[in-house]
Amino acid sequence: MKEVLLSIIKDDSRVIIEQIDEKYLSDNLGRKKGTARAVVFPVSTDEVSQVMRYAWEHAIPVTPRGAGTNLVGSTVPSGDGIVLDVSRMDHILELDEATFTATVESGVILEDFQAFVESRGFFIRRIRVKREPPSAAISAPMQEACGLSNTA
Ligand SMILES: Cc1cc2nc3c(=O)[nH]c(=O)nc-3n(C[C@H](O)[C@H](O)[C@H](O)COP(=O)(O)OP(=O)(O)OC[C@H]3O[C@@H](n4cnc5c(N)ncnc54)[C@H](O)[C@@H]3O)c2cc1C
């Protein structure tokens, strides 16, 4: 597995095989620990796609991970698979002021995104009143509910 992942990621600082830090095997509470054979940190969609293809072809479970702030065990990996940590995919790609939409990579931190839109005179309108930690990455499914509004 190590050779294949390194042939995809081509940077051994972004592929962890030995001594995986326990934080990558759990959620924010750290109560439940899972198992994984590798943690990878892709920086492009192409790397994500190649890792997913390899995992699919070899029936290897993959656990995506944003900022790991969930409290429900949803980043506890099982089955000796691969943890796919997207936290290094943290670029804000586009803010479309006409449609109040933005295109961001899945590791963008909510706090950074908020500062970015505010620096352009916008603010993030939250559909739900609940507040998740600003450290949460934008990738986790629930952020889809948020929209953009300008301060006008
Ligand atoms: C202090 C505190 C307060 C919180 N308050 C709230 C709250 O008010 N409301 C709330 O709903 N939650 C809350 N949470 C939980 C958590 O912050 C949110 O669920 C947040 O959205 C998780 O984002 P994350 O990037 O850390 O996701 P992670 O914890 O990394 O992942 C969460 C889930 O999303 C999946 N995932 C992550 N990235 C991707 C991806 N790119 N593609 C596919 N799947 C992906 C993971 O596999 C996992 O199943 C809170 C947590 C803390 C610590």
Side-chain angles (χ1 to χ4, degrees), residues 1-141:
M1 177 184 281
K2 183 174 182 178
E3 294 67 33
V4 176
L5 292 176
L6 281 172
S7 71
I8 297 170
I9 300 277
K10 298 186 179 64
D11 173 352
D12 54 16
S13 72
R14 294 193 285 117
V15 177
I16 305 176
I17 298 279
E18 285 96 27
Q19 292 157 342
I20 294 176
D21 188 314
E22 288 199 346
K23 76 171 181 182
Y24 296 114
L25 305 176
S26 192
D27 64 4
N28 194 269
L29 296 173
R31 291 191 198 125
K32 200 165 180 306
K33 296 272 183 309
T35 59
R37 271 192 282 157
V39 182
V40 296
F41 302 87
V43 292
S44 69
T45 309
D46 180 54
E47 287 182 351
V48 171
S49 158
Q50 289 189 60
V51 170
M52 293 307 291
R53 173 173 294 285
Y54 163 67
W56 179 70
E57 285 168 355
H58 297 82
I60 299 167
V62 173
T63 306
R65 184 185 174 90
T69 63
N70 78 84
L71 305 165
V72 293
S74 59
T75 46
V76 176
S78 58
D80 267 346
I82 299 169
V83 173
L84 185 85
D85 184 308
V86 295
S87 61
R88 301 192 194 181
M89 296 179 71
D90 55 3
H91 299 94
I92 297 170
L93 304 174
E94 186 204 7
L95 175 62
D96 185 333
E97 300 189 6
T99 61
F100 297 118
T101 60
T103 307
V104 304
E105 292 187 327
S106 50
V108 168
I109 296 292
L110 200 56
E111 204 168 19
D112 300 338
F113 180 62
Q114 192 137 11
F116 171 82
V117 297
E118 285 171 2
S119 71
R120 285 160 177 74
F122 292 86
F123 67 91
I124 299 179
R125 175 176 51 78
R126 293 188 184 272
I127 292 179
R128 283 184 286 208
V129 290
K130 295 193 299 184
R131 287 198 62 75
E132 61 279 336
S135 61
I138 224 155
S139 65

